[in-house]
Amino acid sequence: MRIFVNRWFQRFAAREGIGDKSLLDAVHRAERGLLDADLGGGVIKQRIARSGEGRSGGFRTIILFRLGDHAFFVFGFAKSDRENISKDELKGFRELAKEMRRFDEGQLLKALDSESLWELKDYEQDI
Protein backbone atom coordinates (compact mmCIF):
# COMPACT_ATOMS: atom_id res chain seq x y z
CA MET A 1 0.00 0.00 0.00
CA ARG A 2 1.29 3.45 -0.90
CA ILE A 3 0.64 6.23 1.61
CA PHE A 4 0.65 9.92 0.75
CA VAL A 5 0.02 13.25 2.46
CA ASN A 6 -1.01 16.42 0.67
CA ARG A 7 0.57 19.81 1.29
CA TRP A 8 -2.20 21.02 3.59
CA PHE A 9 -2.08 17.88 5.70
CA GLN A 10 1.71 17.95 5.94
CA ARG A 11 1.55 21.47 7.43
CA PHE A 12 -1.22 20.42 9.82
CA ALA A 13 0.74 17.36 11.00
CA ALA A 14 3.93 19.37 11.51
CA ARG A 15 2.09 22.09 13.44
CA GLU A 16 0.37 19.53 15.69
CA GLY A 17 3.45 17.32 16.15
CA ILE A 18 1.92 14.30 14.42
CA GLY A 19 4.70 12.00 13.26
CA ASP A 20 4.82 9.57 10.36
CA LYS A 21 4.53 6.59 12.72
CA SER A 22 1.12 7.81 13.91
CA LEU A 23 -0.05 8.16 10.31
CA LEU A 24 1.26 4.73 9.37
CA ASP A 25 -0.47 3.23 12.43
CA ALA A 26 -3.78 4.77 11.32
CA VAL A 27 -3.41 3.21 7.87
CA HIS A 28 -2.41 -0.17 9.30
CA ARG A 29 -5.55 -0.16 11.47
CA ALA A 30 -7.64 0.62 8.39
CA GLU A 31 -5.98 -2.21 6.46
CA ARG A 32 -7.08 -4.59 9.21
CA GLY A 33 -10.65 -3.28 8.93
CA LEU A 34 -10.44 -1.18 12.09
CA LEU A 35 -12.07 1.96 10.72
CA ASP A 36 -13.20 4.73 13.03
CA ALA A 37 -15.71 5.77 10.35
CA ASP A 38 -16.33 4.71 6.75
CA LEU A 39 -17.75 7.86 5.17
CA GLY A 40 -18.41 6.22 1.80
CA GLY A 41 -16.98 6.86 -1.63
CA GLY A 42 -13.45 5.88 -0.61
CA VAL A 43 -13.33 8.34 2.31
CA ILE A 44 -12.57 7.20 5.86
CA LYS A 45 -12.01 8.96 9.16
CA GLN A 46 -9.30 7.68 11.49
CA ARG A 47 -8.41 8.96 14.94
CA ILE A 48 -4.83 9.71 15.91
CA ALA A 49 -3.73 10.14 19.50
CA ARG A 50 -2.07 13.23 20.87
CA SER A 51 1.40 12.52 22.17
CA GLY A 52 1.11 10.67 25.48
CA GLU A 53 -2.69 10.46 25.33
CA GLY A 54 -5.38 8.26 23.83
CA ARG A 55 -7.06 8.60 20.45
CA SER A 56 -10.50 9.66 21.72
CA GLY A 57 -9.52 13.26 22.49
CA GLY A 58 -6.84 13.56 19.84
CA PHE A 59 -7.02 14.27 16.14
CA ARG A 60 -9.37 13.20 13.38
CA THR A 61 -7.91 12.55 9.95
CA ILE A 62 -9.70 12.27 6.63
CA ILE A 63 -8.09 9.69 4.38
CA LEU A 64 -8.91 8.82 0.79
CA PHE A 65 -8.50 5.08 1.10
CA ARG A 66 -8.52 2.10 -1.22
CA LEU A 67 -7.58 -1.15 0.50
CA GLY A 68 -4.42 -2.70 -0.92
CA ASP A 69 -3.75 0.28 -3.16
CA HIS A 70 -3.34 3.71 -1.59
CA ALA A 71 -4.12 6.08 1.25
CA PHE A 72 -4.07 9.88 0.88
CA PHE A 73 -4.17 11.96 4.07
CA VAL A 74 -6.00 15.11 2.98
CA PHE A 75 -7.47 16.77 6.08
CA GLY A 76 -7.20 16.72 9.83
CA PHE A 77 -8.53 18.51 12.87
CA ALA A 78 -8.35 18.37 16.63
CA LYS A 79 -11.45 17.00 18.31
CA SER A 80 -11.29 20.02 20.64
CA ASP A 81 -11.48 22.42 17.66
CA ARG A 82 -14.50 21.02 15.85
CA GLU A 83 -16.96 18.18 16.15
CA ASN A 84 -16.90 16.87 12.58
CA ILE A 85 -16.69 17.78 8.90
CA SER A 86 -19.67 19.33 7.14
CA LYS A 87 -21.84 17.64 4.51
CA ASP A 88 -20.33 19.93 1.87
CA GLU A 89 -16.81 19.02 2.95
CA LEU A 90 -17.67 15.32 2.79
CA LYS A 91 -19.09 15.78 -0.69
CA GLY A 92 -15.84 17.48 -1.74
CA PHE A 93 -13.72 14.69 -0.24
CA ARG A 94 -15.75 12.07 -2.09
CA GLU A 95 -15.23 13.94 -5.36
CA LEU A 96 -11.51 14.21 -4.62
CA ALA A 97 -11.36 10.46 -3.86
CA LYS A 98 -12.98 9.74 -7.22
CA GLU A 99 -10.42 11.96 -8.96
CA MET A 100 -7.45 10.50 -7.07
CA ARG A 101 -8.49 6.91 -7.94
CA ARG A 102 -7.85 7.81 -11.58
CA PHE A 103 -4.28 8.99 -10.95
CA ASP A 104 -1.75 6.91 -12.85
CA GLU A 105 1.92 6.58 -11.93
CA GLY A 106 2.86 9.56 -14.13
CA GLN A 107 0.38 11.83 -12.38
CA LEU A 108 1.58 10.66 -8.99
CA LEU A 109 5.20 11.35 -9.96
CA LYS A 110 4.23 14.82 -11.16
CA ALA A 111 2.45 15.55 -7.86
CA LEU A 112 5.46 14.26 -5.92
CA ASP A 113 7.89 16.34 -8.03
CA SER A 114 5.81 19.49 -7.49
CA GLU A 115 5.61 18.71 -3.76
CA SER A 116 1.83 18.84 -3.71
CA LEU A 117 2.06 15.25 -2.39
CA TRP A 118 4.65 13.49 -0.24
CA GLU A 119 4.92 9.73 0.04
CA LEU A 120 5.44 8.16 3.45
CA LYS A 121 7.85 5.26 3.58
CA ASP A 122 6.24 2.26 5.27
CA TYR A 123 9.18 0.20 6.50
CA GLU A 124 6.90 -2.59 7.71
CA GLN A 125 6.04 -3.39 4.09
CA ASP A 126 9.72 -3.98 3.35
CA ILE A 127 10.01 -6.76 5.94
Side-chain angles (χ1 to χ4, degrees):
M1 164 140 335
R2 296 181 72 185
I3 304 167
F4 302 91
V5 297
N6 68 6
R7 181 177 288 138
W8 185 95
F9 191 90
Q10 184 188 43
R11 286 189 209 127
F12 165 77
R15 182 178 64 245
E16 299 295 348
I18 301 169
D20 291 356
K21 183 178 181 334
S22 295
L23 302 179
L24 294 170
D25 288 347
V27 171
H28 292 157
R29 286 194 322 271
E31 287 178 303
R32 293 190 313 269
L34 302 173
L35 303 176
D36 291 321
D38 184 345
L39 304 177
V43 180
I44 65 171
K45 182 168 56 173
Q46 289 290 81
R47 295 181 297 179
I48 294 180
R50 289 183 186 272
S51 182
E53 298 181 31
R55 290 193 308 259
S56 65
F59 302 101
R60 306 304 186 254
T61 61
I62 302 298
I63 307 169
L64 312 180
F65 182 78
R66 178 180 263 178
L67 185 61
D69 188 21
H70 63 255
F72 295 91
F73 284 87
V74 295
F75 189 69
F77 57 95
K79 177 69 171 165
S80 60
D81 290 343
R82 65 188 288 182
E83 186 66 27
N84 212 339
I85 59 173
S86 71
K87 290 180 182 181
D88 286 340
E89 287 171 319
L90 177 56
K91 182 178 177 182
F93 290 133
R94 287 177 178 159
E95 287 297 316
L96 183 59
K98 189 184 304 182
E99 183 180 321
M100 298 300 280
R101 274 194 294 266
R102 288 181 247 162
F103 265 37
D104 61 23
E105 188 62 26
Q107 290 167 305
L108 281 174
L109 287 173
K110 186 175 179 180
L112 291 166
D113 286 343
S114 70
E115 296 185 344
S116 57
L117 285 179
W118 285 265
E119 187 166 7
L120 298 181
K121 182 67 174 162
D122 187 355
Y123 294 101
E124 287 187 21
Q125 288 184 354
D126 295 338
I127 298 173

